[in-house]
């Protein structure tokens, strides 16, 4: 594991640029404290590439594993950097006959690229990775990210046409040369050929469960197959040349991983200290549920167990640092204890840990799954949760451990386990605590996983642990921490401030003071005062959640829809400690930006306003449609879009349009889209206006009306009134109204054209327009003559012909 940073085809003074790149990459030092290397390549005079690697050495420590990497160290034609672990690297070395001095597991990435091609090579990698490859022989630039996004990566576009990549957003958010930045989606590869202006996105991880939102698997689970798949995933991830440990909360997932690690450490290949006992770590406020359960498991398995304690005050002290490292305001409750725990683990000499993320998403382990209305919806929620993990638990696990130079590995999110679980019939996952199986076991959360490891003759875990109820990590470390954070927010955020939250946070206003506080910290770090501040918001998810549900699943219970939401497991009545837990009423639940009742299938948009059917976040699933709520959200959004027009704020307008599909599952209508186009034109961003028009109207999201077309025509004529190609685009678009879109042109269209002619003293063109109005029997409006008021010759001709 490590930190990577690269900037390709950057223009300017090479020495000054190197200093600049070093300064930016230094922000990743926590990810790679062991070594630093940089590859600088000059493409032409004052055009360079910088590829930086900050290393955390776990496999092949020392110079034999350093990066940047080259398939041929002599020519250096294929240069690449990677963050991650490739668990099948030995097999690939044999298959591809790799004989190279560098022994890093990531060395195989470049050779796989050369053997299988830019689009296909990622499919041959078993592991977690984010990689950037510069092929200096062909001029091709390639970037790819693992199937679940276990390794973070961001991408940016430079104002000089350069392309940037970084492990964390903090390297990109404030550089004056960066035009825009975005999250690099998991399971995708991006390829830019020589002389291409834009690269091409391809989803390399194209399993049916993630590409077909209507897919519901029918194959029933085989307990032995499931158990063997999980065991192999854990064994593969024991690959290490340095001391490692396991995170043990005492819950099902971490306990299983610890048990498998203890059983298989001695026989695992390429593992450190195979004859030594496994070290396990847990954290909590003294007396917390997780500490008690973890101690029981550790005693049973015989691990060397370490309990780390913290107080609510210490957790609150860490809040600003946690948000800085996490780069989001979500998952903070669970992130703070993990951040504090990772510091303690690093101080004891461990550089890698095994962690249990993934099972709750794959098998429906969260308590709100008790409310799933059907097996089909149960599966679709699993798919939603799993496909979005890169913005939630996976991001937390990576960034909180790497804040202290510790690598977290998540065996349950291996491709093999994910593919097995997500192609399993949801009938094997449904929860029914009132029903017993043939052995007298309740159908609890993650029943099928529990049952696969329920082997009485050779038990993996004590029965009371194997069948323990699910605890959210932030709950399990101690309820005092969760409640203390809420109380802290009550003190920090006044009632007056919270009452004006929609003014402070117009995009999806927070529904609790806790989120008001966290959003404020996030904005201080990444938004306020930065030219690309709104790009930071495009990297984080929005929406109401109940016990860690997706916003769509809130529609499963009418009472949830009325609440402000809470991620605590106690928010669901089935939890043992749910008595007296107050969810709080959401006064704006029916119409607010966090409403779930309006969910339906919607198109996703990228940060550039482009319709994006390939984004890593799945399109919202159909739960139910409430037309009235959808229309209200559209009206509210359009109203905010009009304000963007006044403020000449295209970026804010695009974010509002994006939020319709991302946060509400609603397609924009013609009015919202045309108002967004108007805001782009007001901000003189014609390219963005064209993209919105193309993706919303040409892409078939909705049909344009005359106003929508006129807004784009205005852009062509006001921004490029003396540009003949743009004038031709405008007139062509006007001509397409009837023959392509079936719209009858009115005076509204012609008035815009006449206004432009009047502004540029183009009498000849104005005369043609007036003649066309006459031929098409278009009734003039008062605005027709007002448009040419200052040009008497045009006005006179118009009156003569049209009146």
């Amino acid at each position: 594991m490590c930190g990577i940073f690269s900037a390709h085809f950057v223009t300017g003074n090479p020495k000054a640029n190197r200093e600049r790149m070093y300064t930016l990459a230094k922000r990743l030092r926590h990810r790679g404290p062991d070594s630093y290397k940089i590859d600088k390549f000059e493409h032409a005079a004052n055009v360079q590439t910088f590829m930086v690697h900050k290393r955390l050495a776990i496999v092949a420590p020392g110079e034999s594993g350093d990066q940047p990497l080259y398939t041929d160290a002599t020519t250096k034609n294929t240069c690449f950097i990677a963050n991650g672990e490739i668990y099948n690297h030995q097999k690939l070395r044999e298959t591809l006959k790799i004989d190279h001095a560098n022994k890093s597991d990531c060395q195989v990435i470049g050779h796989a690229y050369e053997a299988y091609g830019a689009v296909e090579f990622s499919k041959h990698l078993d592991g977690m990775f984010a990689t950037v490859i510069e092929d200096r022989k062909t001029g091709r630039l390639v970037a790819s990210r693992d199937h679940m996004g276990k390794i973070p990566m961001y991408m940016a576009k430079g104002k000089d046409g350069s392309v940037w990549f970084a492990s964390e957003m903090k390297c990109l958010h404030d550089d004056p040369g960066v035009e825009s930045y975005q999250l690099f989606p998991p399971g995708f590869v991006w390829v830019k050929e020589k002389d291409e202006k834009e690269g091409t996105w391809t989803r390399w991880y194209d399993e049916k469960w993630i590409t077909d939102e209507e897919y519901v698997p029918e194959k029933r689970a085989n307990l032995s197959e499931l158990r063997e798949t999980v065991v192999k995933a854990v064994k593969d991830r024991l690959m290490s040349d340095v001391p490692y440990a396991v995170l043990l909360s005492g819950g099902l997932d971490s306990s299983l991983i610890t048990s498998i690690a203890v059983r298989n450490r001695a026989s695992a290949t390429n593992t450190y200290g195979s004859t030594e006992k496994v070290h396990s770590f847990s954290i909590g406020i003294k007396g917390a549920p997780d500490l008690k359960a973890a101690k029981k498991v550790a005693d049973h398995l015989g691990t060397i167990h370490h309990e780390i304690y913290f107080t609510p005050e210490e957790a609150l002290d860490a809040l600003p640092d946690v948000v800085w490292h996490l780069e989001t305001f979500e998952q903070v409750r669970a992130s703070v204890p993990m951040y504090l725990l990772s510091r303690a683990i690093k101080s004891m000499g461990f550089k890698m840990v095994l962690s249990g993320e993934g099972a709750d998403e794959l098998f429906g382990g969260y308590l709100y799954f008790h409310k799933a209305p059907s097996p089909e919806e149960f599966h679709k929620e699993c798919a939603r949760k799993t496909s979005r993990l890169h913005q939630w638990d996976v991001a937390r696990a990576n960034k909180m451990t790497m804040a202290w130079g510790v690598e977290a590995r998540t065996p349950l999110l291996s491709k093999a386990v994910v593919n097995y679980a997500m192609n399993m019939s949801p009938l094997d996952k449904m929860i029914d605590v009132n029903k017993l199986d043939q052995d007298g076991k309740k159908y609890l959360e993650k029943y099928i996983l529990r049952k696969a490891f329920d082997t009485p003759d050779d038990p993996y875990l004590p029965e009371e642990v194997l069948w323990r109820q699910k605890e959210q990590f932030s709950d399990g470390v101690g309820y005092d921490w969760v409640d203390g954070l809420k109380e802290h927010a009550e003190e920090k955020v006044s009632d007056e401030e919270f009452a004006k939250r929609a003014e402070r946070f117009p995009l999806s206003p927070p529904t609790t003071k806790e989120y008001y506080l966290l959003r404020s910290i996030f904005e201080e770090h990444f938004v306020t005062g930065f030219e690309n501040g709104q790009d930071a918001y495009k990297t984080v998810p929005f929406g109401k959640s109940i016990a860690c549900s997706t916003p769509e699943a809130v529609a499963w219970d009418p009472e949830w829809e009325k609440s402000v939401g809470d991620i605590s497991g106690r928010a669901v009545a089935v939890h043992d400690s749910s008595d007296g837990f107050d969810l709080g009423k959401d006064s704006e639940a029916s119409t607010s930006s966090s409403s779930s009742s309006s969910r339906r299938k919607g198109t996703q948009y990228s940060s550039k306003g482009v319709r994006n059917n390939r984004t890593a976040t799945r399109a919202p699933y159909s739960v139910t449609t409430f037309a009235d709520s959808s229309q209200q959200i559209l009206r509210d959004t359009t109203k905010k879009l009009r304000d963007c027009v006044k403020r000449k704020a295209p970026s804010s307008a695009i974010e509002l349009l994006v939020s319709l599909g991302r946060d509400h599952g609603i397609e924009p209508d013609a009015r919202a889209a045309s108002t967004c186009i108007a805001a782009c034109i007001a901000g003189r961003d014609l390219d963005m206006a064209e993209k919105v028009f193309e993706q919303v109207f040409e892409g078939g999201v909705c049909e344009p009306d005359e106003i929508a077309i006129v807004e784009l025509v205005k852009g062509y004529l006001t921004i490029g009134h003396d540009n003949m190609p743009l004038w031709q685009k405008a007139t062509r678009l006007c001509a397409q109204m009837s023959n392509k879109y079936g719209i009858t042109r009115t005076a509204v269209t012609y008035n815009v054209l006449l206004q432009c002619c009047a502004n540029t003293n183009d009498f000849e063109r104005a005369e043609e327009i007036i003649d066309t109005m006459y031929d098409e029997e278009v009734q003039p409006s008062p605005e027709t003559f007002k448009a040419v008021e200052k040009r008497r010759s045009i006005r006179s001709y118009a009156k003569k012909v049209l009146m």
Side-chain angles (χ1 to χ4, degrees), residues 608-639:
K608 286 299 180 185
V610 180
R611 187 178 183 181
N612 192 351
N613 293 322
R614 301 171 299 191
T615 56
T617 302
R618 293 169 63 91
Y621 287 76
S622 176
V623 178
T624 185
T625 300
F626 293 82
D628 290 342
S629 294
S630 298
Q631 289 303 312
Q632 182 61 50
I633 290 171
L634 278 169
R635 285 193 292 271
D636 291 345
T637 302
T638 302
K639 184 178 179 181

mmCIF file of all heavy atoms in Angstrom, residues 608-639:
data_model
loop_
_atom_site.group_PDB
_atom_site.id
_atom_site.type_symbol
_atom_site.label_atom_id
_atom_site.label_comp_id
_atom_site.label_asym_id
_atom_site.label_seq_id
_atom_site.Cartn_x
_atom_site.Cartn_y
_atom_site.Cartn_z
ATOM 1 N N LYS A 608 -19.493 16.651 -14.723
ATOM 2 C CA LYS A 608 -19.501 17.586 -15.835
ATOM 3 C C LYS A 608 -20.868 17.671 -16.502
ATOM 4 O O LYS A 608 -21.015 18.151 -17.607
ATOM 5 C CB LYS A 608 -18.459 17.168 -16.883
ATOM 6 C CG LYS A 608 -17.039 17.470 -16.411
ATOM 7 C CD LYS A 608 -16.861 18.944 -16.179
ATOM 8 C CE LYS A 608 -15.492 19.317 -15.718
ATOM 9 N NZ LYS A 608 -15.366 20.720 -15.385
ATOM 10 N N GLY A 609 -21.879 17.175 -15.830
ATOM 11 C CA GLY A 609 -23.215 17.303 -16.355
ATOM 12 C C GLY A 609 -23.533 16.323 -17.452
ATOM 13 O O GLY A 609 -24.582 16.403 -18.066
ATOM 14 N N VAL A 610 -22.656 15.383 -17.727
ATOM 15 C CA VAL A 610 -22.868 14.456 -18.823
ATOM 16 C C VAL A 610 -23.616 13.244 -18.319
ATOM 17 O O VAL A 610 -23.333 12.720 -17.260
ATOM 18 C CB VAL A 610 -21.513 14.018 -19.416
ATOM 19 C CG1 VAL A 610 -21.709 13.053 -20.555
ATOM 20 C CG2 VAL A 610 -20.749 15.235 -19.901
ATOM 21 N N ARG A 611 -24.578 12.783 -19.113
ATOM 22 C CA ARG A 611 -25.279 11.577 -18.741
ATOM 23 C C ARG A 611 -24.270 10.446 -18.660
ATOM 24 O O ARG A 611 -23.479 10.237 -19.556
ATOM 25 C CB ARG A 611 -26.340 11.238 -19.789
ATOM 26 C CG ARG A 611 -27.216 10.057 -19.348
ATOM 27 C CD ARG A 611 -28.271 9.783 -20.382
ATOM 28 N NE ARG A 611 -29.130 8.707 -19.917
ATOM 29 C CZ ARG A 611 -30.136 8.229 -20.619
ATOM 30 N NH1 ARG A 611 -30.422 8.734 -21.787
ATOM 31 N NH2 ARG A 611 -30.886 7.262 -20.146
ATOM 32 N N ASN A 612 -24.312 9.685 -17.567
ATOM 33 C CA ASN A 612 -23.226 8.761 -17.291
ATOM 34 C C ASN A 612 -23.772 7.401 -16.914
ATOM 35 O O ASN A 612 -24.032 7.126 -15.768
ATOM 36 C CB ASN A 612 -22.369 9.328 -16.154
ATOM 37 C CG ASN A 612 -21.078 8.576 -16.008
ATOM 38 O OD1 ASN A 612 -20.895 7.537 -16.630
ATOM 39 N ND2 ASN A 612 -20.196 9.098 -15.186
ATOM 40 N N ASN A 613 -23.992 6.544 -17.901
ATOM 41 C CA ASN A 613 -24.512 5.217 -17.636
ATOM 42 C C ASN A 613 -23.427 4.256 -17.170
ATOM 43 O O ASN A 613 -23.676 3.099 -16.934
ATOM 44 C CB ASN A 613 -25.173 4.650 -18.902
ATOM 45 C CG ASN A 613 -26.415 5.415 -19.263
ATOM 46 O OD1 ASN A 613 -27.154 5.812 -18.380
ATOM 47 N ND2 ASN A 613 -26.642 5.647 -20.537
ATOM 48 N N ARG A 614 -22.183 4.764 -17.066
ATOM 49 C CA ARG A 614 -21.080 3.895 -16.709
ATOM 50 C C ARG A 614 -20.522 4.233 -15.342
ATOM 51 O O ARG A 614 -19.477 3.747 -14.968
ATOM 52 C CB ARG A 614 -19.959 4.031 -17.755
ATOM 53 C CG ARG A 614 -20.419 3.689 -19.140
ATOM 54 C CD ARG A 614 -19.357 4.043 -20.157
ATOM 55 N NE ARG A 614 -19.065 5.472 -20.123
ATOM 56 C CZ ARG A 614 -18.324 6.074 -21.049
ATOM 57 N NH1 ARG A 614 -17.836 5.408 -22.051
ATOM 58 N NH2 ARG A 614 -18.080 7.365 -20.973
ATOM 59 N N THR A 615 -21.172 5.103 -14.581
ATOM 60 C CA THR A 615 -20.606 5.500 -13.298
ATOM 61 C C THR A 615 -20.620 4.335 -12.334
ATOM 62 O O THR A 615 -21.417 3.424 -12.442
ATOM 63 C CB THR A 615 -21.400 6.655 -12.659
ATOM 64 O OG1 THR A 615 -22.759 6.263 -12.534
ATOM 65 C CG2 THR A 615 -21.309 7.904 -13.486
ATOM 66 N N ALA A 616 -19.692 4.406 -11.378
ATOM 67 C CA ALA A 616 -19.574 3.317 -10.423
ATOM 68 C C ALA A 616 -20.774 3.258 -9.499
ATOM 69 O O ALA A 616 -21.129 2.206 -9.002
ATOM 70 C CB ALA A 616 -18.306 3.477 -9.604
ATOM 71 N N THR A 617 -21.409 4.385 -9.215
ATOM 72 C CA THR A 617 -22.611 4.386 -8.398
ATOM 73 C C THR A 617 -23.773 3.930 -9.261
ATOM 74 O O THR A 617 -24.054 4.511 -10.286
ATOM 75 C CB THR A 617 -22.909 5.794 -7.859
ATOM 76 O OG1 THR A 617 -21.781 6.232 -7.113
ATOM 77 C CG2 THR A 617 -24.138 5.789 -6.984
ATOM 78 N N ARG A 618 -24.448 2.877 -8.840
ATOM 79 C CA ARG A 618 -25.537 2.342 -9.656
ATOM 80 C C ARG A 618 -26.669 3.350 -9.748
ATOM 81 O O ARG A 618 -26.916 4.121 -8.841
ATOM 82 C CB ARG A 618 -26.081 1.050 -9.031
ATOM 83 C CG ARG A 618 -25.103 -0.089 -9.055
ATOM 84 C CD ARG A 618 -25.587 -1.219 -8.191
ATOM 85 N NE ARG A 618 -26.833 -1.788 -8.680
ATOM 86 C CZ ARG A 618 -26.889 -2.802 -9.521
ATOM 87 N NH1 ARG A 618 -25.785 -3.328 -9.988
ATOM 88 N NH2 ARG A 618 -28.048 -3.292 -9.912
ATOM 89 N N ALA A 619 -27.395 3.293 -10.868
ATOM 90 C CA ALA A 619 -28.574 4.128 -10.998
ATOM 91 C C ALA A 619 -29.554 3.728 -9.911
ATOM 92 O O ALA A 619 -29.657 2.562 -9.562
ATOM 93 C CB ALA A 619 -29.210 3.933 -12.374
ATOM 94 N N PRO A 620 -30.268 4.701 -9.328
ATOM 95 C CA PRO A 620 -31.219 4.362 -8.274
ATOM 96 C C PRO A 620 -32.228 3.324 -8.742
ATOM 97 O O PRO A 620 -32.667 3.356 -9.877
ATOM 98 C CB PRO A 620 -31.901 5.698 -7.972
ATOM 99 C CG PRO A 620 -30.897 6.715 -8.373
ATOM 100 C CD PRO A 620 -30.203 6.131 -9.568
ATOM 101 N N TYR A 621 -32.582 2.406 -7.842
ATOM 102 C CA TYR A 621 -33.524 1.353 -8.185
ATOM 103 C C TYR A 621 -34.952 1.817 -7.970
ATOM 104 O O TYR A 621 -35.240 2.732 -7.220
ATOM 105 C CB TYR A 621 -33.269 0.121 -7.297
ATOM 106 C CG TYR A 621 -32.029 -0.605 -7.659
ATOM 107 C CD1 TYR A 621 -30.794 -0.083 -7.288
ATOM 108 C CD2 TYR A 621 -32.064 -1.776 -8.380
ATOM 109 C CE1 TYR A 621 -29.628 -0.742 -7.615
ATOM 110 C CE2 TYR A 621 -30.903 -2.443 -8.700
ATOM 111 C CZ TYR A 621 -29.689 -1.918 -8.311
ATOM 112 O OH TYR A 621 -28.551 -2.581 -8.639
ATOM 113 N N SER A 622 -35.862 1.128 -8.613
ATOM 114 C CA SER A 622 -37.271 1.467 -8.481
ATOM 115 C C SER A 622 -37.827 0.857 -7.208
ATOM 116 O O SER A 622 -37.828 -0.345 -7.025
ATOM 117 C CB SER A 622 -38.048 0.938 -9.693
ATOM 118 O OG SER A 622 -39.420 1.173 -9.542
ATOM 119 N N VAL A 623 -38.236 1.692 -6.294
ATOM 120 C CA VAL A 623 -38.919 1.220 -5.101
ATOM 121 C C VAL A 623 -40.398 1.543 -5.236
ATOM 122 O O VAL A 623 -41.262 0.694 -5.194
ATOM 123 C CB VAL A 623 -38.345 1.888 -3.833
ATOM 124 C CG1 VAL A 623 -39.085 1.424 -2.606
ATOM 125 C CG2 VAL A 623 -36.867 1.559 -3.701
ATOM 126 N N THR A 624 -40.697 2.802 -5.426
ATOM 127 C CA THR A 624 -42.066 3.221 -5.687
ATOM 128 C C THR A 624 -42.008 4.650 -6.181
ATOM 129 O O THR A 624 -41.020 5.342 -5.983
ATOM 130 C CB THR A 624 -42.937 3.128 -4.409
ATOM 131 O OG1 THR A 624 -44.279 3.438 -4.725
ATOM 132 C CG2 THR A 624 -42.452 4.105 -3.351
ATOM 133 N N THR A 625 -43.032 5.094 -6.858
ATOM 134 C CA THR A 625 -43.030 6.431 -7.433
ATOM 135 C C THR A 625 -44.112 7.270 -6.780
ATOM 136 O O THR A 625 -45.256 6.862 -6.692
ATOM 137 C CB THR A 625 -43.296 6.371 -8.950
ATOM 138 O OG1 THR A 625 -42.272 5.584 -9.542
ATOM 139 C CG2 THR A 625 -43.280 7.753 -9.567
ATOM 140 N N PHE A 626 -43.742 8.458 -6.325
ATOM 141 C CA PHE A 626 -44.688 9.406 -5.763
ATOM 142 C C PHE A 626 -44.591 10.669 -6.605
ATOM 143 O O PHE A 626 -43.731 11.511 -6.385
ATOM 144 C CB PHE A 626 -44.364 9.698 -4.297
ATOM 145 C CG PHE A 626 -44.557 8.516 -3.401
ATOM 146 C CD1 PHE A 626 -43.566 7.548 -3.309
ATOM 147 C CD2 PHE A 626 -45.707 8.365 -2.668
ATOM 148 C CE1 PHE A 626 -43.728 6.463 -2.480
ATOM 149 C CE2 PHE A 626 -45.870 7.281 -1.841
ATOM 150 C CZ PHE A 626 -44.893 6.325 -1.741
ATOM 151 N N ALA A 627 -45.461 10.789 -7.578
ATOM 152 C CA ALA A 627 -45.368 11.858 -8.572
ATOM 153 C C ALA A 627 -45.398 13.241 -7.938
ATOM 154 O O ALA A 627 -44.668 14.135 -8.356
ATOM 155 C CB ALA A 627 -46.499 11.724 -9.588
ATOM 156 N N ASP A 628 -46.228 13.405 -6.918
ATOM 157 C CA ASP A 628 -46.352 14.729 -6.313
ATOM 158 C C ASP A 628 -45.025 15.174 -5.701
ATOM 159 O O ASP A 628 -44.597 16.317 -5.873
ATOM 160 C CB ASP A 628 -47.440 14.716 -5.231
ATOM 161 C CG ASP A 628 -48.826 14.560 -5.841
ATOM 162 O OD1 ASP A 628 -48.969 14.802 -7.058
ATOM 163 O OD2 ASP A 628 -49.747 14.199 -5.096
ATOM 164 N N SER A 629 -44.371 14.262 -4.966
ATOM 165 C CA SER A 629 -43.093 14.611 -4.350
ATOM 166 C C SER A 629 -42.040 14.889 -5.403
ATOM 167 O O SER A 629 -41.233 15.811 -5.275
ATOM 168 C CB SER A 629 -42.626 13.467 -3.446
ATOM 169 O OG SER A 629 -43.496 13.320 -2.349
ATOM 170 N N SER A 630 -42.043 14.084 -6.463
ATOM 171 C CA SER A 630 -41.072 14.280 -7.540
ATOM 172 C C SER A 630 -41.255 15.652 -8.178
ATOM 173 O O SER A 630 -40.276 16.359 -8.439
ATOM 174 C CB SER A 630 -41.230 13.188 -8.603
ATOM 175 O OG SER A 630 -40.973 11.919 -8.058
ATOM 176 N N GLN A 631 -42.481 16.014 -8.428
ATOM 177 C CA GLN A 631 -42.752 17.313 -9.044
ATOM 178 C C GLN A 631 -42.347 18.459 -8.136
ATOM 179 O O GLN A 631 -41.844 19.487 -8.596
ATOM 180 C CB GLN A 631 -44.241 17.417 -9.421
ATOM 181 C CG GLN A 631 -44.647 16.530 -10.587
ATOM 182 C CD GLN A 631 -43.827 16.823 -11.829
ATOM 183 O OE1 GLN A 631 -43.648 17.973 -12.225
ATOM 184 N NE2 GLN A 631 -43.294 15.774 -12.445
ATOM 185 N N GLN A 632 -42.569 18.273 -6.834
ATOM 186 C CA GLN A 632 -42.179 19.319 -5.890
ATOM 187 C C GLN A 632 -40.665 19.498 -5.879
ATOM 188 O O GLN A 632 -40.157 20.624 -5.857
ATOM 189 C CB GLN A 632 -42.672 18.973 -4.479
ATOM 190 C CG GLN A 632 -42.358 20.046 -3.434
ATOM 191 C CD GLN A 632 -43.023 21.375 -3.756
ATOM 192 O OE1 GLN A 632 -44.216 21.420 -4.015
ATOM 193 N NE2 GLN A 632 -42.249 22.446 -3.768
ATOM 194 N N ILE A 633 -39.929 18.373 -5.900
ATOM 195 C CA ILE A 633 -38.464 18.447 -5.924
ATOM 196 C C ILE A 633 -38.006 19.128 -7.203
ATOM 197 O O ILE A 633 -37.088 19.946 -7.193
ATOM 198 C CB ILE A 633 -37.862 17.037 -5.786
ATOM 199 C CG1 ILE A 633 -38.106 16.508 -4.365
ATOM 200 C CG2 ILE A 633 -36.367 17.052 -6.093
ATOM 201 C CD1 ILE A 633 -37.758 15.055 -4.169
ATOM 202 N N LEU A 634 -38.643 18.795 -8.322
ATOM 203 C CA LEU A 634 -38.291 19.445 -9.594
ATOM 204 C C LEU A 634 -38.550 20.947 -9.534
ATOM 205 O O LEU A 634 -37.741 21.749 -10.003
ATOM 206 C CB LEU A 634 -39.095 18.819 -10.741
ATOM 207 C CG LEU A 634 -38.549 17.508 -11.310
ATOM 208 C CD1 LEU A 634 -39.568 16.874 -12.245
ATOM 209 C CD2 LEU A 634 -37.235 17.740 -12.035
ATOM 210 N N ARG A 635 -39.682 21.329 -8.946
ATOM 211 C CA ARG A 635 -39.994 22.761 -8.837
ATOM 212 C C ARG A 635 -38.978 23.478 -7.955
ATOM 213 O O ARG A 635 -38.492 24.567 -8.292
ATOM 214 C CB ARG A 635 -41.412 22.951 -8.281
ATOM 215 C CG ARG A 635 -42.525 22.656 -9.290
ATOM 216 C CD ARG A 635 -43.862 23.156 -8.786
ATOM 217 N NE ARG A 635 -44.330 22.410 -7.628
ATOM 218 C CZ ARG A 635 -45.076 21.309 -7.702
ATOM 219 N NH1 ARG A 635 -45.419 20.828 -8.885
ATOM 220 N NH2 ARG A 635 -45.471 20.688 -6.615
ATOM 221 N N ASP A 636 -38.641 22.862 -6.821
ATOM 222 C CA ASP A 636 -37.670 23.468 -5.913
ATOM 223 C C ASP A 636 -36.300 23.594 -6.572
ATOM 224 O O ASP A 636 -35.609 24.610 -6.427
ATOM 225 C CB ASP A 636 -37.543 22.627 -4.637
ATOM 226 C CG ASP A 636 -38.792 22.673 -3.774
ATOM 227 O OD1 ASP A 636 -39.640 23.566 -4.013
ATOM 228 O OD2 ASP A 636 -38.922 21.817 -2.875
ATOM 229 N N THR A 637 -35.916 22.562 -7.305
ATOM 230 C CA THR A 637 -34.613 22.578 -7.979
ATOM 231 C C THR A 637 -34.573 23.643 -9.056
ATOM 232 O O THR A 637 -33.578 24.358 -9.207
ATOM 233 C CB THR A 637 -34.302 21.192 -8.570
ATOM 234 O OG1 THR A 637 -34.310 20.217 -7.527
ATOM 235 C CG2 THR A 637 -32.940 21.176 -9.261
ATOM 236 N N THR A 638 -35.645 23.748 -9.830
ATOM 237 C CA THR A 638 -35.698 24.750 -10.896
ATOM 238 C C THR A 638 -35.614 26.160 -10.319
ATOM 239 O O THR A 638 -34.967 27.048 -10.888
ATOM 240 C CB THR A 638 -36.984 24.584 -11.725
ATOM 241 O OG1 THR A 638 -37.021 23.255 -12.256
ATOM 242 C CG2 THR A 638 -37.025 25.580 -12.877
ATOM 243 N N LYS A 639 -36.249 26.348 -9.177
ATOM 244 C CA LYS A 639 -36.177 27.652 -8.516
ATOM 245 C C LYS A 639 -34.737 27.980 -8.137
ATOM 246 O O LYS A 639 -34.267 29.113 -8.336
ATOM 247 C CB LYS A 639 -37.064 27.640 -7.262
ATOM 248 C CG LYS A 639 -37.133 28.982 -6.546
ATOM 249 C CD LYS A 639 -38.069 28.891 -5.343
ATOM 250 C CE LYS A 639 -38.125 30.226 -4.593
ATOM 251 N NZ LYS A 639 -39.018 30.141 -3.409
#
